Amino acid sequence: MNLTPAERRALLMVALVFAISAFIQWVRPHKVSTKQFDYTLQDSLFRALSADTLKKAPNAPRAQTSPERRVKSAKKKKEVLKPKSIDINTANASTLIKLPRIGPKTAQAIIDYRTEHGPFKSIEELDEVKGIGPKTIERLRPFIIITIPDSTGR
């Protein structure tokens, strides 16, 4: 195998680099450092601050609700419908909205239906109103009464 002088020098350099690296590893072997940061102090601070925050949290007011909003929601919670308390033939939109599953659009749809077709004769007739189905009728049944006015207007 005849090598040119440049190839011999390159091969000699590779062998020299290999020998030097082997010698360095033998004299001073590479050690993996297993030192890790000690988080004990940070953990104890976090626990102390978290415990302090958790103790104050139940008594602290919520940031997103204003006092006015809390009063309004408390009034809504106290307002419980009594059984058979709303007459759907005479109730206005604000009264109909108090019923479960009835919003402003559905309340207006009930009033529009009542205006167009006359007073409701039965609770089942509510099924004809857009937005009200059999399940909603069953939820409304305990709160609704139906009074049919006389032909004399009473």
Side-chain angles (χ1 to χ4, degrees):
M1 176 154 97
N2 289 332
L3 297 175
T4 64
E7 290 174 335
R8 276 189 232 146
R9 270 184 269 141
L11 191 58
L12 185 61
M13 287 298 286
V14 169
L16 185 64
V17 168
F18 181 74
I20 290 172
S21 65
F23 178 75
I24 290 173
Q25 283 289 12
W26 179 70
V27 172
R28 201 179 102 219
H30 178 70
K31 291 184 181 177
V32 177
S33 177
T34 57
K35 282 188 176 181
Q36 293 179 346
F37 186 77
D38 184 19
Y39 289 101
T40 311
L41 178 63
Q42 283 77 6
D43 286 344
S44 62
L45 285 172
F46 176 76
R47 279 190 218 105
L49 292 172
S50 296
D52 189 36
T53 306
L54 290 175
K55 287 178 189 174
K56 291 180 184 177
N59 298 332
R62 294 182 188 163
Q64 68 267 18
T65 56
S66 65
E68 297 85 23
R69 257 186 124 168
R70 278 185 259 136
V71 169
K72 287 180 184 177
S73 66
K75 286 181 182 177
K76 285 182 182 178
K77 289 178 185 176
K78 289 180 183 178
E79 189 178 318
V80 176
L81 285 177
K82 296 177 184 171
K84 305 291 183 190
S85 62
I86 295 180
D87 183 1
I88 57 170
N89 285 328
T90 59
N92 59 13
S94 61
T95 305
L96 290 171
I97 290 173
K98 295 177 185 176
L99 291 167
R101 311 275 300 169
I102 302 296
K105 288 183 180 179
T106 311
Q108 189 58 48
I110 291 171
I111 293 170
D112 293 344
Y113 183 87
R114 185 174 68 198
T115 306
E116 187 177 326
H117 296 93
F120 290 96
K121 294 168 188 64
S122 69
I123 294 176
E124 284 71 25
E125 198 174 341
L126 278 170
D127 195 26
E128 301 296 321
V129 177
K130 184 180 178 186
I132 298 180
K135 289 182 179 180
T136 306
I137 291 173
E138 290 307 311
R139 286 189 176 176
L140 299 176
R141 192 177 297 279
F143 306 107
I144 292 178
I145 58 171
I146 295 179
T147 56
I148 303 173
D150 300 356
S151 58
T152 59
R154 293 190 215 172

